[in-house]
């Protein structure tokens, strides 16, 4: 909340067409105190102007997390996404912006699944699914932005992780204690109990 109060003024100044930033074609994209300055070029005077504005609020830029890059040559992470200017996957002489979940974000969802199975894997199959689906759905809805992000590869990697993790987990259980012992657990949980298959999932907005 405090970050939004402070940075609301920064938003207004940077995005004002009459400011130094506006005259040089610089824009800001921000969430709380995490932000990216964008422009065809970012002159030293722009960076110094921003630092002076923050200093007046008794704030400083975290230099260890701040970089000046040419996004056409080097990718960067922002709000859990990796953004890169990639070659066309079909070999055509063109490039496109590839926005996808970062490696760190992919690891976080795998860790959540792992932690959930450690503490809830002994539940009945339908209850395991009831617990896993909100975790998966939240992650998938965040990163799957139609017409903007390209999470297909991340979805397939998440499916592969679920497939192996669930099959290994239930393979370790005694046959007398678990009906999924000796079965393709992932297949049973998706087809019979409704576990989300990340590779087939598509965001469906709620109807009001």
């Amino acid at each position: 909340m405090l970050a939004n109060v402070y940075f609301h003024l920064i938003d207004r100044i940077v995005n004002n067409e009459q400011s130094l930033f506006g005259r040089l074609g610089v824009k800001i994209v921000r969430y709380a105190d995490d932000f990216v300055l964008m422009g065809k070029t970012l002159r030293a005077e722009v960076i110094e102007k921003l630092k002076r504005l923050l200093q007046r609020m008794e704030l400083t830029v975290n230099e260890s997390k701040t970089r000046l890059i040419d996004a056409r040559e080097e990718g960067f992470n922002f709000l859990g996404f990796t953004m890169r200017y990639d070659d066309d996957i079909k070999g055509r002489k063109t490039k496109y912006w590839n926005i996808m979940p970062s490696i760190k974000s992919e690891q976080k969802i795998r860790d959540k699944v792992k932690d959930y199975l450690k503490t809830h894997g002994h539940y009945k199959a339908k209850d395991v699914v009831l617990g896993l689906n909100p975790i998966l759905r939240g992650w998938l809805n965040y990163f799957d932005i139609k017409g903007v992000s390209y999470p297909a590869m991340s979805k397939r990697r998440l499916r592969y992780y679920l497939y192996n993790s669930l099959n290994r987990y239930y393979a370790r259980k005694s046959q007398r204690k678990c009906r999924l012992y000796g079965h393709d657990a992932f297949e049973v949980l998706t087809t019979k109990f409704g576990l989300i298959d990340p590779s087939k999932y598509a965001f469906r907005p709620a109807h009001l």
Side-chain angles (χ1 to χ4, degrees):
M1 183 180 294
L2 287 175
N4 283 325
V5 171
Y6 277 105
F7 275 87
H8 177 67
L9 178 58
I10 298 294
D11 286 345
R12 292 180 59 186
I13 294 173
V14 174
N15 290 326
N16 184 343
E17 294 182 357
Q18 303 305 314
S19 69
L20 171 67
F21 304 94
R23 294 196 303 272
L24 295 177
V26 175
K27 296 291 185 181
I28 187 172
V29 176
R30 179 182 68 84
Y31 181 82
D33 62 346
D34 201 358
F35 65 90
V36 174
L37 280 184
M38 301 181 299
K40 290 185 177 180
T41 61
L42 288 179
R43 299 182 185 178
E45 58 190 301
V46 169
I47 306 300
E48 290 305 314
K49 177 67 173 179
L50 177 65
K51 289 182 178 180
R52 288 198 300 271
L53 289 171
L54 292 174
Q55 286 171 357
R56 289 171 60 183
M57 300 178 186
E58 299 184 0
L59 300 173
T60 57
V61 173
N62 187 332
E63 299 290 351
S64 65
K65 295 183 178 180
T66 301
R67 294 186 300 147
L68 180 61
I69 66 168
D70 183 344
R72 295 168 298 184
E73 303 295 334
E74 181 181 356
F76 66 96
N77 294 332
F78 183 55
L79 302 180
F81 289 89
T82 290
M83 305 184 191
R84 298 193 315 227
Y85 198 46
D86 283 343
D87 293 326
D88 184 77
I89 59 175
K90 296 183 179 180
R92 293 171 293 194
K93 293 182 179 180
T94 186
K95 288 193 171 188
Y96 66 99
W97 285 106
N98 194 357
I99 302 175
M100 55 195 171
S102 67
I103 292 174
K104 185 176 180 179
S105 297
E106 289 191 17
Q107 186 59 50
K108 281 185 176 180
I109 186 62
R110 290 194 291 267
D111 289 342
K112 285 185 177 181
V113 170
K114 181 179 179 180
D115 290 343
Y116 182 83
L117 289 177
K118 278 184 177 179
T119 55
H120 299 83
H122 60 284
Y123 285 16
K124 293 181 179 178
K126 65 176 182 179
D127 294 324
V128 170
V129 170
L130 286 174
L132 280 177
N133 274 353
I135 296 171
L136 299 172
R137 187 181 298 111
W139 192 89
L140 291 164
N141 285 348
Y142 180 82
F143 287 104
D144 194 354
I145 306 173
K146 187 176 181 180
V148 176
S149 63
Y150 301 91
M153 290 297 295
S154 296
K155 286 182 175 182
R156 287 195 285 270
R157 284 192 288 267
L158 178 55
R159 183 191 189 279
Y160 182 78
Y161 178 79
L162 281 168
Y163 181 91
N164 287 322
S165 295
L166 289 168
N167 288 346
R168 282 198 305 268
Y169 180 82
Y170 284 106
R172 292 194 298 264
K173 287 181 170 290
S174 166
Q175 187 174 8
R176 290 175 296 175
K177 295 180 180 179
C178 179
R179 293 169 60 188
L180 290 177
Y181 177 85
H183 293 77
D184 185 335
F186 178 81
E187 184 69 20
V188 174
L189 291 173
T190 53
T191 58
K192 185 175 180 179
F193 296 98
L195 177 69
I196 290 173
D197 180 339
S199 65
K200 298 178 181 179
Y201 182 83
F203 173 65
R204 298 179 181 86
H207 295 287
L208 300 178

